[in-house]
Amino acid sequence: MKIKLQYIICFLAGMTLLASCKYDNYSPPSSKLTGAILYKGDSINVSYNNVAFQLWQTGFGKLTPINVTVDQNGSYSALLFNGDYKLVFPAGQGPFISLIDPKTNSDTMLVHVQGNTNMGIQVLPYYMIMNPQFSVSDSTVNATCKLEKIITDSLAQDIQSVSLYLSKTLFDDSRTSVSTTNINGSDIADMNNIALSATIPAMTPTQHYIFARIGVKINNVEDMIFSPVVKLEY
Amino acid sequence: MKKLGFLIITLLVLGAGCKKAEDTFLDKKPTNVLLTDQVWSDPSLVLSVVADLYDRIPQYQELEQYWNFADFDDAFPSNYGDYWRVQNQTYGYNDWSLWNYDYIRDINLFILDCKNATQLDSADRKRFLGEGEFLRATAYFDLVKRMGGVPLILDTMVYNFSSGDNTAYLQHPRAPEAKVYDFVMNECDSAAALLPNDPTIKSRATWGAAMALKCRAALYAGSIAKYGATTPSVMLPGNIVGIPADQADHYYQIALNTAQQIINSNEYSLYMKYPDNLSKNFYELFLDKNNNPEVIFVKDYKLKARTTQFTVQNQPHSLTEEGAVSGFLNPSLNLVQSFEKLDNTFAPLAAKDASGNYIEYNNTSDIFKDRDARLAGSIILPGSQFRGDNVDIWAGYMQPNGNVISGSTFGAQGTLPGQSTPTQVVGFDGPVSSQIEHGTQTGFYIRKYLDPTVGAGGIGTGSDVWWIRYRYAEILLNGAEAAFELGQNAAAASYMNQVRARAGLTIPLKPSDITFDRIVHERRVEFAFEGQRFWDMKRWRLAHVVWNGTKTTLSTQPGNIYEPSTRMWGLWPYEIYDPGNPDNGKWIFKEVIPGPITQAHQFRLGNYYSQIDPNTIAANPKLVQNPNQ
């Protein structure tokens, strides 16, 4: 009987000790930083999982970046603590170059997060795909667009190729396409009038819609720039 | 009371024990570890230290890491736990990342201790110092080929307690990539002068090993300088990553000179013990530990001491000595079709004729006829043998109308149309369409390094086949590549033809036949599963072109080095079932993609130089991250 009481006391003491433990001693990040990468108000479409920027927050000891990956349509979101961050695109990320921020006089941007914050990130793309049009006829997708060269100074780059990608799902680029048509940059006669067409292959299971978009590969730039994904029914 | 008295007495006795040896009390010699000066008094103790350093040479794609061979397009991993290798699209930026400065510090300590050692005789000391320098060159070469320029730490950095939190004196910036390569080459020269020039020594560093490392490093530096120009974004300011293009010829010249030094020394030669059977000869080259003239430097294994599971894991399914374990690495058709035909031309394996009909063969092995002897020497093909036994690789019966009769397990039984009793309808080695692991899913097994010794395929015994780090054929091909890049095609052809003649390609290439594509191909087939191709593809800046992430079909031009090859293909043999017709019992071949492969490999520009861990950069802000990540 005596022993049993000892056990009970130990158990109660243990419970009391454990009860004082909390999972964490501060609340998780809850402020959402959202937005898109933009050029003159148009969002820049990229390939999924390939373009990322870094957020740096100083003042908490060890300095490591928070990597934020940009979505296919150019949007991004990150769950953060309130505070001041520095935002930078590492060199070679994205089919664009960062603008010089007047406050920092460099490509680093200052971000103040207080509650849910929406911020568009202005960048300078090498090219923009203007007025993309898609149509389907007899299991062929026809697309037209116009390319506008944005960077024309010493940093300008030529077009390596323009491609039309057809995909079964919303994720649409060279990795997922089921049908692709390419035009080499050197074969483009008129940048204002680009036409591509691709055949819709037989798909299993059969589906009567397909996703399409146009991508532009720029010389010496890894990431491609795309037009928005469109769903075509036939 | 009694207890208290006892306690007091005990304390007094203990205290008295301390008193006498007060000044030496904390200077007792430990009995469980050897101190530096004790180690450096006996060459056999030093040998055990240097053995540990040899063992810690960074590995990737070796006998003990065979699974990494399935990371690219050379082989498919037939193991449920490894299907992710063919289901992930991109390679992580931190794949192949390495920051092993603990290892480098141990080598630096070893070199320092060696220089200070007084009790060893000078010949031993000279050799150990040479080994230390060779190991340091190897360590930095491994770092630079993965990470680009790294801090060159050549002394044993010591933390100064009086400096407190100020650690800036321990932080070193990254050296330019070319400077690290220069260091590796100089260190090799210095080591080569100290090391014995004895081609019978294989598992410890020799003059030959140091020169072979120098040759490889110079070739890498030259090609990074030349082909790095095609990817201008894979550079960092100050050439921390990237070597200026005008340095290319300088490094190629060093590579050529070093290769010629080894060749002209006549210490090594191509393995040619079985001139009557060149495939067997090529296979035995990797197994023969007895006076092997080609091998320069190895990682050796020994039965009952340390063996590898390479043979256990990769032996054909029907011939396994270990029950359920077998058939991990399945070489791909992409690799198989890269082996040339004996007339020096490239061609895919002829499964279909020009009008799209299957070509019929009398035997499963006929389709591989008249190819490079290295094909059968490196890969177990359908219709061949291992350990003296036939392998049983066939996918099923096919009727003239295209219907397939097959089974879902190895060697499954099935009833053929028009018969009443079941017979075997699929090979005991696969391939079976139900994606069962541990048997081939491409129609091939690996032969290179697979140990035919009885018992080597058992987990408890394992195989003691060594892993060759440098061999003479590489010196010849390094020389050929360097000579070609320097415009000396005649020399390039003469080096390459030696290697090719050994593989049965007896029509010599003319100097005008030597192209960059030829060199890329020669290295792919000669060094298949030797851990060379990945680093080659990186230094040639071909990795992002060939592994570009698109789901392409199998290339029809195996001679074109720029063709994307992102998924592994297989070649499945089917026996024709058409009783009463002359083609009954003949074989046709189907090109298939193994079921578990769902994604295409994508090597991004940010993969050329692996990521430095952000925590490492946080600890040393002088470091710059690698580009495009």
Side-chain angles (χ1 to χ4, degrees):
Chain A
M1 200 61 210
K2 217 177 180 182
I3 294 163
K4 264 191 183 167
L5 191 68
Q6 277 174 348
Y7 277 140
I8 289 164
I9 290 168
C10 283
F11 180 73
L12 284 176
M15 287 292 284
T16 322
L17 279 169
L18 283 173
S20 67
C21 295
K22 235 177 141 183
Y23 183 66
D24 217 336
N25 58 0
Y26 53 85
S27 50
S30 58
S31 304
K32 213 173 188 180
L33 177 66
T34 52
I37 38 174
L38 303 168
Y39 172 69
K40 287 188 178 168
D42 291 333
S43 63
I44 291 174
N45 286 254
V46 293
S47 57
Y48 65 94
N49 274 349
N50 266 348
V51 178
F53 60 81
Q54 297 178 331
L55 290 170
W56 298 80
Q57 191 179 27
T58 52
F60 296 91
K62 196 158 70 177
L63 201 58
T64 52
I66 301 165
N67 285 312
V68 183
T69 307
V70 177
D71 204 355
Q72 266 201 137
N73 59 8
S75 69
Y76 70 89
S77 69
L79 211 50
L80 301 166
F81 293 113
N82 289 339
D84 291 308
Y85 295 83
K86 285 177 177 170
L87 185 158
V88 67
F89 277 96
Q93 283 292 333
F96 48 76
I97 51 177
S98 300
L99 296 168
I100 299 297
D101 189 89
K103 280 187 208 143
T104 61
N105 215 8
S106 72
D107 58 357
T108 305
M109 294 169 68
L110 300 177
V111 183
H112 179 70
V113 176
Q114 187 66 53
N116 288 346
T117 311
N118 191 297
M119 189 187 73
I121 305 171
Q122 299 290 338
V123 294
L124 199 60
Y126 290 93
Y127 288 88
M128 281 297 273
I129 302 171
M130 310 303 248
N131 193 24
Q133 298 289 335
F134 298 88
S135 63
V136 194
S137 63
D138 298 339
S139 79
T140 301
V141 174
N142 297 304
T144 57
C145 68
K146 176 186 161 189
L147 296 182
E148 196 180 322
K149 193 169 190 172
I150 310 291
I151 300 177
T152 50
D153 60 6
S154 61
L155 293 170
Q157 294 285 0
D158 288 334
I159 290 175
Q160 188 177 326
S161 61
V162 181
S163 309
L164 170 64
Y165 296 113
L166 304 185
S167 171
K168 280 170 150 179
T169 66
L170 201 56
F171 294 106
D172 190 5
D173 58 37
S174 64
R175 299 169 292 181
T176 49
S177 82
V178 289
S179 177
T180 308
T181 307
N182 297 309
I183 308 179
N184 285 332
S186 52
D187 297 340
I188 297 173
D190 180 8
M191 291 232 294
N192 290 323
N193 191 0
I194 287 173
L196 294 140
S197 61
T199 316
I200 302 172
M203 287 179 285
T204 333
T206 313
Q207 62 183 40
H208 290 285
Y209 55 89
I210 195 147
F211 297 90
R213 65 172 173 166
I214 298 168
V216 177
K217 173 83 176 74
I218 303 149
N219 273 347
N220 300 326
V221 178
E222 184 176 26
D223 295 312
M224 295 173 67
I225 188 163
F226 290 88
S227 67
V229 181
V230 291
K231 182 176 177 179
L232 302 166
E233 309 217 4
Y234 61 93
Chain B
M1 200 58 210
K2 225 180 184 177
K3 265 188 184 168
L4 191 66
F6 181 71
L7 198 65
I8 288 167
I9 290 163
T10 313
L11 283 174
L12 281 172
V13 170
L14 281 174
C18 290
K19 200 189 164 200
K20 190 167 179 232
E22 226 166 25
D23 44 346
T24 58
F25 179 61
L26 290 170
D27 292 336
K28 281 258 162 67
K29 288 260 191 280
T31 53
N32 59 343
V33 289
L34 290 166
L35 299 175
T36 306
D37 51 344
Q38 290 171 325
V39 169
W40 285 91
S41 63
D42 181 352
S44 59
L45 287 176
V46 184
L47 183 62
S48 61
V49 176
V50 80
D52 169 60
L53 295 178
Y54 275 120
D55 189 37
R56 286 160 66 190
I57 293 176
Q59 301 195 70
Y60 181 66
Q61 294 183 327
E62 293 192 7
L63 293 184
E64 291 175 297
Q65 291 186 3
Y66 54 86
W67 48 85
N68 288 127
F69 286 118
D71 286 347
F72 306 97
D73 57 338
D74 278 351
F76 170 84
S78 186
N79 182 37
Y80 291 143
D82 284 86
Y83 285 168
W84 62 270
R85 291 177 198 281
V86 291
Q87 294 171 346
N88 275 3
Q89 193 167 52
T90 47
Y91 298 106
Y93 287 134
N94 57 357
D95 288 1
W96 319 293
S97 187
L98 183 71
W99 205 257
N100 57 345
Y101 278 90
D102 52 342
Y103 178 47
I104 284 174
R105 183 169 195 276
D106 286 350
I107 300 174
N108 285 334
L109 264 174
F110 179 84
I111 291 171
L112 181 75
D113 291 340
C114 189
K115 284 179 176 160
N116 293 337
T118 51
Q119 300 182 54
L120 290 181
D121 72 51
S122 65
D124 284 338
R125 248 184 66 186
K126 202 175 133 194
R127 185 171 183 190
F128 286 131
L129 188 60
E131 289 186 297
E133 289 181 349
F134 171 78
L135 286 163
R136 187 158 68 177
T138 303
Y140 273 109
F141 179 53
D142 242 290
L143 271 172
V144 73
K145 70 185 186 186
R146 292 161 190 251
M147 314 301 291
V150 291
L152 271 176
I153 309 296
L154 304 179
D155 55 1
T156 58
M157 294 200 296
V158 180
Y159 175 65
N160 182 356
F161 284 92
S162 60
S163 66
D165 280 348
N166 173 23
T167 52
Y169 68 99
L170 296 170
Q171 296 168 342
H172 295 270
R174 299 176 66 180
E177 187 170 8
K179 227 182 139 187
V180 182
Y181 276 107
D182 289 342
F183 167 77
V184 171
M185 289 183 275
N186 290 337
E187 193 84 338
C188 285
D189 279 336
S190 159
L194 296 166
L195 289 166
N197 184 1
D198 181 353
T200 62
I201 300 172
K202 307 292 191 191
S203 56
R204 289 179 69 180
T206 54
W207 175 86
M211 295 310 270
L213 168 56
K214 183 187 174 188
C215 183
R216 194 189 280 181
L219 188 69
Y220 278 34
S223 41
I224 289 168
K226 179 164 183 198
Y227 297 101
T230 61
T231 51
S233 50
V234 188
M235 303 249 178
L236 279 181
N239 290 316
I240 289 170
V241 157
I243 299 175
D246 55 5
Q247 301 274 300
D249 284 357
H250 163 71
Y251 287 113
Y252 281 131
Q253 192 64 54
I254 297 176
L256 181 58
N257 293 349
T258 314
Q260 282 171 343
Q261 263 179 285
I262 303 171
I263 294 165
N264 296 336
S265 76
N266 291 321
E267 300 280 6
Y268 301 94
S269 61
L270 289 177
Y271 185 89
M272 211 46 180
K273 290 193 188 171
Y274 303 92
D276 299 337
N277 184 344
L278 293 171
S279 291
K280 179 183 164 71
N281 184 64
F282 189 71
Y283 172 52
E284 290 289 336
L285 146 62
F286 299 93
L287 311 175
D288 191 348
K289 291 190 182 180
N290 179 27
N291 207 2
N292 188 326
E294 175 156 355
V295 172
I296 299 176
F297 180 55
V298 299
K299 178 166 192 171
D300 208 350
Y301 296 92
K302 199 178 169 190
L303 282 180
K304 294 179 184 165
R306 178 157 167 186
T307 56
T308 71
Q309 299 287 303
F310 184 82
T311 301
V312 180
Q313 296 287 343
N314 295 310
Q315 57 196 329
H317 183 269
S318 69
L319 303 175
T320 180
E321 296 182 301
E322 194 51 62
V325 187
S326 59
F328 182 96
L329 280 178
N330 306 158
S332 65
L333 180 56
N334 315 35
L335 173 65
V336 169
Q337 70 170 4
S338 315
F339 287 85
E340 277 166 74
K341 302 185 82 163
L342 289 175
D343 60 359
N344 294 350
T345 59
F346 292 101
L349 291 163
K352 285 185 177 177
D353 62 17
S355 48
N357 297 318
Y358 287 113
I359 300 177
E360 296 173 4
Y361 292 89
N362 290 329
N363 290 302
T364 42
S365 54
D366 285 356
I367 192 172
F368 308 104
K369 263 192 183 157
D370 296 329
R371 294 228 169 211
D372 190 333
R374 288 171 290 193
L375 172 59
S378 313
I379 289 161
I380 296 177
L381 304 166
S384 66
Q385 296 186 319
F386 176 66
R387 222 189 273 128
D389 292 321
N390 289 323
V391 294
D392 191 29
I393 301 172
W394 55 289
Y397 284 101
M398 187 184 269
Q399 289 177 276
N401 61 7
N403 274 354
V404 167
I405 305 119
S406 186
S408 57
T409 54
F410 298 112
Q413 300 273 315
T415 311
L416 292 166
Q419 292 190 0
S420 51
T421 47
T423 49
Q424 184 195 344
V425 292
V426 67
F428 278 100
D429 282 308
V432 285
S433 50
S434 55
Q435 308 175 12
I436 311 182
E437 60 175 356
H438 299 154
T440 186
Q441 296 185 44
T442 61
F444 308 107
Y445 287 94
I446 184 171
R447 189 187 293 280
K448 200 178 260 187
Y449 283 113
L450 205 64
D451 191 348
T453 317
V454 172
I459 283 178
T461 314
S463 160
D464 68 344
V465 166
W466 59 17
W467 170 254
I468 300 174
R469 292 200 158 117
Y470 298 97
R471 61 186 176 98
Y472 185 64
E474 185 196 339
I475 306 300
L476 287 172
L477 290 187
N478 287 358
E481 183 179 347
F484 164 76
E485 297 290 0
L486 292 166
Q488 303 173 21
N489 279 30
S494 92
Y495 294 144
M496 226 159 118
N497 284 331
Q498 293 178 42
V499 178
R500 290 168 62 85
R502 197 260 302 266
L505 298 159
T506 44
I507 308 168
L509 292 177
K510 293 189 289 293
S512 57
D513 293 336
I514 307 290
T515 57
F516 178 59
D517 295 41
R518 277 269 172 206
I519 285 165
V520 169
H521 261 282
E522 203 60 43
R523 290 183 72 95
R524 179 171 191 191
V525 296
E526 176 73 24
F527 303 130
F529 303 109
E530 293 185 48
Q532 297 258 25
R533 181 157 186 256
F534 170 59
W535 310 108
D536 282 345
M537 296 297 273
K538 284 214 313 176
R539 68 187 172 90
W540 290 323
R541 299 292 190 259
L542 284 176
H544 74 286
V545 179
V546 172
W547 303 316
N548 67 356
T550 51
K551 287 181 180 162
T552 49
T553 51
L554 182 72
S555 169
T556 53
Q557 314 168 53
N560 183 348
I561 55 166
Y562 303 101
E563 287 274 294
S565 173
T566 51
R567 296 181 295 174
M568 307 92 172
W569 290 76
L571 189 70
W572 290 14
Y574 288 90
E575 188 173 344
I576 299 175
Y577 182 71
D578 193 7
N581 274 314
D583 58 359
N584 186 40
K586 290 195 175 182
W587 295 88
I588 57 114
F589 292 84
K590 258 191 189 176
E591 287 175 5
V592 253
I593 195 150
I597 299 178
T598 56
Q599 293 289 0
H601 287 313
Q602 189 186 20
F603 186 99
R604 295 172 286 178
L605 290 181
N607 290 118
Y608 274 111
Y609 292 95
S610 299
Q611 190 171 51
I612 301 174
D613 186 54
N615 291 318
T616 308
I617 298 181
N620 178 5
K622 288 177 186 163
L623 299 176
V624 186
Q625 185 58 273
N626 278 327
N628 306 306
Q629 296 174 355

